[in-house]
């Protein structure tokens, strides 16, 4: 697909996803102004639900090239969708040499690349440990790092559910409302002299902060006032 057509496909999808996610999950987003409008950017987010690429994509004012596991391509239609959105394939066990190089190339070309450093959707709703392979990428890129946090996605559509729980905008809020918070850029030079463990924990802390902001941003029931 030519780049100009891929951009229009993304624009169309973003409009559809905006009305769908806002209407069905009362989606709220904040912090998009922190994302550089041009040049390479690496977005790191927690992973709660199958819907996360769309949710975070709505909060990021850029075309996002998501890093996607090869195992997702088992479904022919999903594989075509992933390709049409210019996703970057990686081995299901983490970064292979080819996956790492493809990601670095995309960043060198000025792309906004999105990743879920937990490697898979959370089993508990909590933020899992980050996969060590992300450290190889951080050490080799000069792209600013944008932490993002999702709240409510696990309650709405966890890996254990076959169908999502909706929290429509026109009904009273439930625990299935969703919000996304985007943080300020982190200079990767910060991690040049850090150990892998220190780097991963610092990045995880940055994402956790955005999750907490997203939790506060979610549409919630108003606390009842005692008589």
């Amino acid at each position: 697909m030519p780049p100009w057509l891929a951009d229009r496909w993304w624009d169309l999808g973003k409009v559809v996803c905006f009305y769908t996610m806002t209407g069905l999950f009362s989606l709220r987003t904040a912090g998009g102004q922190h994302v550089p409008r041009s040049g390479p950017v690496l977005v790191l987010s927690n992973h709660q639900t199958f819907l996360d690429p769309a949710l975070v994509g709505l909060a990021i004012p850029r075309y996002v090239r998501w890093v996607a596991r090869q195992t997702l391509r088992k479904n022919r239609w999903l594989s075509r969708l992933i390709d049409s959105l210019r996703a970057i394939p990686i081995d299901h066990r983490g970064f292979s040499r080819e996956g790492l190089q493809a990601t670095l190339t995309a960043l060198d070309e000025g792309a906004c690349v999105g990743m879920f450093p937990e490697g898979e959707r959370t089993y508990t709703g909590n933020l899992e440990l980050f996969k060590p392979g992300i450290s190889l990428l951080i050490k080799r890129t000069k792209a600013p790092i944008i932490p993002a946090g999702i709240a409510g996605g696990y309650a709405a559509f966890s890996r254990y559910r076959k169908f999502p729980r909706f929290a429509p905008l026109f009904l009273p809020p439930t625990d299935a409302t969703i919000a996304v918070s985007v943080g300020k850029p982190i200079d990767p030079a910060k991690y040049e002299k850090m150990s892998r463990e220190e780097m991963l924990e610092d990045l995880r802390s940055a994402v956790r902060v955005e999750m907490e902001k997203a939790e506060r941003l979610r549409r919630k029931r108003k606390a009842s006032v005692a008589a």
Side-chain angles (χ1 to χ4, degrees):
M1 183 182 294
W4 68 268
L5 183 57
D7 288 348
R8 300 295 77 76
W9 173 240
W10 178 278
D11 293 338
L12 175 62
K14 195 162 189 174
V15 171
V16 172
C17 286
F18 172 79
Y19 287 106
T20 301
M21 298 302 175
T22 303
L24 297 181
F25 299 103
S26 302
L27 176 66
R28 292 176 175 178
T29 66
Q33 72 276 9
H34 298 313
V35 181
R37 294 303 191 270
S38 62
V41 174
L42 180 62
V43 179
L44 302 182
S45 173
N46 63 312
H47 201 4
Q48 293 191 337
T49 167
F50 187 70
L51 303 173
D52 290 345
L55 296 171
V56 179
L58 288 171
I60 302 292
R62 294 276 301 269
Y63 300 113
V64 184
R65 294 191 62 184
W66 287 101
V67 173
R69 292 182 293 115
Q70 287 279 19
T71 51
L72 295 175
R73 296 175 179 272
K74 292 179 179 180
N75 181 289
R76 181 178 62 177
W77 298 108
L78 181 57
S79 179
R80 289 183 178 180
L81 177 62
I82 290 172
D83 287 339
S84 72
L85 297 174
R86 294 174 285 192
I88 302 169
I90 62 169
D91 189 274
H92 70 281
R93 294 180 296 273
F95 271 117
S96 63
R97 183 186 299 273
E98 293 77 13
L100 175 61
Q101 188 55 55
T103 305
L104 288 169
T105 298
L107 291 169
D108 288 342
E109 293 173 348
C112 177
V113 174
M115 291 186 62
F116 300 111
E118 294 165 280
E120 58 182 339
R121 288 170 292 168
T122 175
Y123 283 88
T124 64
N126 298 320
L127 183 62
E128 308 287 349
L129 294 174
F130 285 6
K131 300 297 183 182
I134 185 68
S135 63
L136 299 174
L137 179 61
I138 301 298
K139 291 289 188 180
R140 295 179 59 179
T141 184
K142 295 183 179 179
I145 303 163
I146 300 290
I150 303 165
Y154 184 77
F157 196 16
S158 75
R159 66 187 304 147
Y160 303 110
R161 300 188 62 86
K162 291 185 177 180
F163 302 101
R165 293 176 56 223
F166 298 124
L169 188 62
F170 52 85
L171 294 177
T174 70
D175 63 347
T177 60
I178 301 176
V180 179
S181 177
V182 179
K184 295 180 179 179
I186 301 171
D187 187 342
K190 172 182 181 180
Y191 301 115
E192 287 181 357
K193 297 183 179 180
M194 279 192 187
S195 68
R196 184 177 70 181
E197 290 72 22
E198 290 173 324
M199 176 201 300
L200 294 177
E201 186 52 40
D202 189 83
L203 290 169
R204 189 163 172 257
S205 295
V207 171
R208 185 184 295 111
V209 167
E210 297 310 315
M211 290 175 64
E212 293 168 354
K213 291 180 183 178
E215 182 61 36
R216 295 192 293 271
L217 181 65
R218 288 173 62 200
R219 179 171 171 253
K220 298 179 181 178
R221 296 189 184 96
K222 293 182 179 180
S224 58
V225 180

